[in-house]
Amino acid sequence: MKNGRPMRNMVRMTTLAGAALATGLTLIAPGLPAVARDTAARPAASGGPYATAITVNGLGISNYEIEQRMAFMQALRQAGDLRKQAEDALIDDRLRAWQATRDGITVSEDDITKGMTEFAGRANLSLDQFTAELAKSGVGTATFHDFVRSGLMWREVIRARFAPRVKISDADINRALLVESRRGQNARVLLSEIIIPAPPEHMDEARALAKQVAAVRGEAAFSSAAQQVSASQSRDNGGKIDWLPLGNLPPVLRDAVLAMKPGQVSAPIDLNGAIGVFLLRDFDAGTVSKEAQSLGYATLALGPAGSEETQKLEAQIASDAHSCDDLYTIAKDRPGALSRVAPTPQGQIPPVIAVELARLDIGETGVLDLGAGRTLVMLCSRTAAAGDATPDGGQTPDLAPAPSAPKGPGIESTKAEDAVHASESLPGGAQRDQIRQQLMNVRLSAYSENFLAELRSDAVVVRK
């Protein structure tokens, strides 16, 4: 624990826990959470730290719990309105707790300790080191304990309810194996996209809209929806994207595509700032490199959409910027607007940016418009890498089903990219079982998100 290394390792976990927190993958277990157990014997002063701030279907959330969740988010470098995010996450926690109680779901302390240890290991820390670092930020071990217990219990809720409905055919496995077993080769995919801005204050509305879009059937209907609601530049073309190597896609999208057939629409995928819905138009086995990638890129804040200054800046970039170095000259009078990121494994790049980078060649640009002004993204480099620093593509540990994406995170720690390398040493039957489990995880993710949306819509939430 020298030279601040543990805290730097925790910073690297932003995409891990950040995705889980942003998509509500936490669940307080049935009964009193640890923070409440610690204080149940003492009376709550009106408006004090242990007073109830929110009730959800009769289950209380205290001011203390909100402050603890905010501190936890801050320790993991979560951005945005932390209080609102903490409240929203804890509301989802109570909904999951309510459902877990109804379903009779429990988890053992041994499983919780194992989950905490695995989570800490993602930051290259022991459990004691990780909890010590959290303590420096004012986060109690009980809060971390309940965070991990939450994911484990919600995973069991989803498995018990929906696993029997998921049927993975031999054809599904054969298609996945075709992609994953060809070292030095890869597939390419033809996608259409709908990107919905999802700032924290409008997350519920964005999720509801994404759920409606995901129910669309047929390319024509998807194209019409893209033209109406997508924030991506592809909206003018009905959301259509040209052929892309599968390896260009960020892990969160790659896993979803592997579970789809041509003509299918994905479940909503949380992209950490936006929600994406994708239509797989076609799939082609090719000879594109399958190696993991590291991407260098730059972002430049352009300003409000439609403003004269923004339009002039975009025109100047189109004319004069042919590499990331050129952006320094263009942005010299715009302090703080330009950010250049050194080559980074795909799984550690914010998904909404990684999706945009997937379609770019070096020196090309795209523009994101997520409601807070337009942001230019330029690809500076695309190089082969030994592999992502986080094996599951920068998502949460084995705690809960993914939001089809930040998050985001699968029920099991094995992801599509890992299976490419690991499956070659497996016997045929074991390899097929591994692929079957991976595909099941992706599909259960969709059930997880939709079920939570139903719980939210029926919830009785009272703020004190």
Side-chain angles (χ1 to χ4, degrees):
M1 298 182 64
K2 297 180 180 179
N3 300 323
R5 180 180 300 170
M7 185 54 69
R8 290 199 299 275
N9 288 334
M10 289 181 68
V11 171
R12 292 208 306 270
M13 293 187 66
T14 301
T15 53
L16 297 177
L21 293 169
T23 57
L25 293 180
T26 58
L27 166 69
I28 300 300
L32 288 175
V35 290
R37 291 196 301 268
D38 293 340
T39 60
R42 71 186 77 173
S46 177
Y50 304 109
T52 298
I54 304 170
T55 61
V56 184
N57 290 351
L59 301 176
I61 299 172
S62 70
N63 291 320
Y64 178 72
E65 289 177 273
I66 295 172
E67 294 297 328
Q68 278 285 289
R69 182 58 61 90
M70 290 172 63
F72 190 31
M73 290 176 167
Q74 190 170 32
L76 295 168
R77 300 301 190 267
Q78 195 70 359
D81 185 344
L82 294 188
R83 184 170 188 87
K84 185 178 189 308
Q85 292 179 48
E87 290 181 358
D88 289 347
L90 287 167
I91 288 171
D92 285 350
D93 286 351
R94 292 303 188 267
L95 293 175
R96 292 186 175 97
W98 178 78
Q99 189 62 53
T101 300
R102 296 183 70 187
D103 292 354
I105 299 296
T106 60
V107 294
S108 70
E109 284 298 320
D110 286 345
D111 286 339
I112 295 170
T113 300
K114 180 181 177 182
M116 294 171 69
T117 301
E118 290 177 351
F119 195 100
R122 296 300 177 90
N124 295 322
L125 298 174
S126 69
L127 178 55
D128 288 343
Q129 288 173 327
F130 187 79
T131 54
E133 291 298 324
L134 288 179
K136 293 177 183 178
S137 298
V139 181
T141 301
T143 296
F144 179 41
H145 173 280
D146 286 338
F147 173 83
V148 173
R149 179 177 57 179
S150 299
L152 291 172
M153 295 187 67
W154 183 244
R155 179 184 68 180
E156 294 307 314
V157 168
I158 296 302
R159 280 177 168 171
R161 281 182 159 265
F162 301 111
R165 304 186 192 181
V166 178
K167 306 299 181 185
I168 306 298
S169 69
D170 287 341
D172 293 333
I173 297 173
N174 290 339
R175 184 173 65 254
L177 286 171
L178 174 66
V179 176
E180 296 184 3
S181 65
R182 299 175 61 168
R183 290 299 298 269
Q185 295 184 323
N186 198 356
R188 59 177 188 160
V189 293
L190 198 59
L191 298 173
S192 294
E193 65 177 358
I194 294 176
I195 305 297
I196 300 171
E201 64 272 18
H202 297 298
M203 180 62 74
D204 289 344
E205 296 94 321
R207 284 173 173 160
L209 179 57
K211 185 177 179 181
Q212 294 178 29
V213 169
V216 166
R217 295 294 178 265
E219 188 173 327
F222 192 93
S223 177
S224 176
Q227 292 172 348
Q228 295 177 53
V229 304
S230 182
S232 173
Q233 288 181 295
S234 64
R235 64 177 294 166
D236 295 334
N237 193 34
K240 293 181 179 179
I241 307 172
D242 289 336
W243 284 102
L244 291 174
L246 186 69
N248 279 22
L249 302 181
V252 67
L253 177 53
R254 193 183 314 148
D255 285 356
V257 169
L258 283 171
M260 295 165 62
K261 299 177 182 178
Q264 284 188 330
V265 177
S266 75
I269 299 176
D270 195 306
L271 301 177
N272 196 9
I275 298 176
V277 180
F278 298 86
L279 166 68
L280 178 61
R281 305 196 328 264
D282 203 355
F283 177 95
D284 178 51
T287 56
V288 183
S289 172
K290 181 61 178 175
E291 293 178 302
Q293 297 179 359
S294 286
L295 308 179
Y297 64 96
T299 62
L300 177 62
L302 299 174
S307 73
E308 183 177 352
E309 182 181 359
T310 298
Q311 292 175 350
K312 287 182 178 179
L313 185 56
E314 290 185 18
Q316 182 184 3
I317 292 170
S319 172
D320 301 338
H322 307 294
S323 71
C324 290
D325 290 342
D326 294 336
L327 294 177
Y328 289 104
T329 301
I330 293 174
K332 66 180 186 299
D333 296 325
R334 302 174 64 85
L338 177 64
S339 176
R340 184 159 177 177
V341 180
T344 303
Q346 282 174 308
Q348 295 185 13
I349 297 172
V352 69
I353 294 178
V355 168
E356 189 67 29
L357 293 173
R359 74 197 71 182
L360 301 179
D361 291 328
I362 294 173
E364 289 186 339
T365 62
V367 174
L368 298 173
D369 187 355
L370 302 179
R374 291 167 67 82
T375 299
L376 177 128
V377 179
M378 176 178 278
L379 179 64
C380 305
S381 66
R382 186 190 299 278
T383 58
D388 287 357
T390 50
D392 65 352
Q395 301 299 328
T396 54
D398 181 14
L399 297 180
S404 223
K407 262 208 25 118
I411 292 179
E412 306 297 339
S413 60
T414 300
K415 293 288 188 175
E417 188 69 20
D418 300 314
V420 175
H421 305 289
S423 63
E424 293 188 344
S425 62
L426 296 174
Q431 180 180 356
R432 294 182 69 84
D433 288 344
Q434 184 181 36
I435 298 300
R436 184 186 300 276
Q437 185 62 59
Q438 177 220 335
L439 296 176
M440 177 174 284
N441 292 341
V442 174
R443 296 184 188 181
L444 285 176
S445 297
Y447 280 114
S448 173
E449 182 65 24
N450 291 337
F451 187 39
L452 180 58
E454 292 177 9
L455 294 181
R456 289 193 197 103
S457 66
D458 295 334
V460 178
V461 179
V462 179
R463 297 178 184 271
K464 302 295 183 179

